[in-house]
Amino acid sequence: MSASGSIVILTGAGVSAESGIATFRGPGGLWEGQRVEDVCTPEALARDPALVHRFYDLRRAALDTVAPNAAHEALARLDAAWPGELLIVTQNVDDLHERAGARRLLHMHGELRSALCAACGTRRPWRDPLPPATRCPTCGAAALRPDIVFFGEMPYAMERIEAALARADLFVSIGTSGAVYPAAGFVRGAAASGAATLELNLERSSGSAWFDETRLGPAGALVPAWVDSLLAA
Ligand code: APR
């Protein structure tokens, strides 16, 4: 691919696993401890706001105890060095990509260190616990909620993502099981627009058959090697 090529990178929980953040599905997965329906749906938030807010308060606080790993650092290095278009689309709600220095980044499923007002839609940085019915500084409604895209809600920035996929020369998926749409369908959109597709994952995923190439192994090893090869070419 030429150095002016356009790259879209999709990351999932597997890119943060080696930083000590539990993935969702698989041994010790986050969803093992909780039923998704109990904590990650609008109905759960309405039914038991204290439980849902506490679930995300715990995950937000845990961010103080983890750090970016070699995969996050390699992606930030690529972002800084790549002369063509590049966009990292992460499904993750942790802030490890940004802490590693990534700039051309968007969180399609929201962010732990952000609060969303359910009344006026304002999003704001938030690092502390977020009790239910916290007042929104913008509109005054007691309606701040975790800025997490729940199942059944529309992910953020879909138009920007789809435009980037349509222009991509290379689509790389890192550390995701391909279990959740629309992210699981990005590989097909990119391939339909002529992009080459590469998957870097610990094990084969639900989407592996759609990729030109799948490399199996930990992101902490595969991603730096891939970035080094791309920048050397
Ligand atoms: N290196 C690379 N891949 C890894 C590693 C690792 N060290 N550890 C685990 N993986 C892989 C697993 O093999 C799995 O395919 O990462 C993937 C994690 O899959 P999930 O736990 O399903 O996480 P993800 O794909 O990000 O989930 C997507 O589902 O629950 C919702 O909104 C949530 O964003 C999340 C979405």
Side-chain angles (χ1 to χ4, degrees):
M1 183 177 69
S2 79
S4 60
S6 167
I7 306 176
V8 175
I9 298 162
L10 173 68
T11 66
V15 83
S16 296
E18 289 156 85
S19 294
I21 295 184
T23 61
F24 292 96
R25 300 164 185 88
L30 205 57
W31 292 146
E32 269 186 0
Q34 303 279 353
R35 283 167 18 93
V36 171
E37 302 72 21
D38 293 345
V39 289
C40 197
T41 61
E43 296 75 21
L45 181 63
R47 183 176 60 244
D48 191 343
L51 180 138
V52 173
H53 280 247
R54 193 165 53 248
F55 178 71
Y56 288 101
D57 283 352
L58 290 173
R59 291 179 64 198
R60 186 179 309 108
L63 290 182
D64 295 331
T65 67
V66 296
N69 65 56
H72 297 107
E73 285 158 5
L75 291 176
R77 193 154 43 83
L78 177 62
D79 183 9
W82 188 253
E85 265 192 77
L86 180 141
L87 180 62
I88 301 170
V89 179
T90 188
Q91 300 173 89
N92 299 339
V93 292
D94 65 54
D95 60 349
L96 295 180
H97 280 304
E98 22 306 55
R99 284 164 56 186
R103 294 284 172 272
R104 294 184 277 182
L105 166 73
L106 68 84
H107 287 264
M108 65 180 289
H109 288 167
E111 300 173 64
L112 284 170
R113 285 183 158 162
S114 173
L116 168 68
C117 176
C120 70
T122 306
R123 301 173 70 192
R124 60 179 12 88
W126 200 275
R127 301 174 76 94
D128 304 321
L130 178 63
T134 298
R135 283 210 174 279
C136 169
T138 302
C139 76
L144 288 191
R145 57 167 267 190
D147 187 9
I148 301 293
V149 177
F150 289 149
F151 286 97
E153 295 181 329
M154 178 59 77
Y156 286 119
M158 284 304 296
E159 284 181 21
R160 182 174 168 204
I161 295 168
E162 278 154 5
L165 291 171
R167 291 195 304 272
D169 298 297
L170 175 61
F171 175 75
V172 185
S173 175
I174 303 170
T176 182
S177 62
V180 173
Y181 284 81
F186 290 169
V187 57
R188 271 167 268 175
S193 303
T197 55
L198 170 64
E199 180 183 41
L200 308 178
N201 209 56
L202 193 63
E203 58 201 354
R204 286 186 67 78
S205 71
S206 308
S208 290
W210 296 97
F211 287 88
D212 297 325
E213 182 188 356
T214 291
R215 295 179 194 163
L216 298 182
L222 292 184
V223 178
W226 168 65
V227 167
D228 290 345
S229 66
L230 197 64
L231 292 180

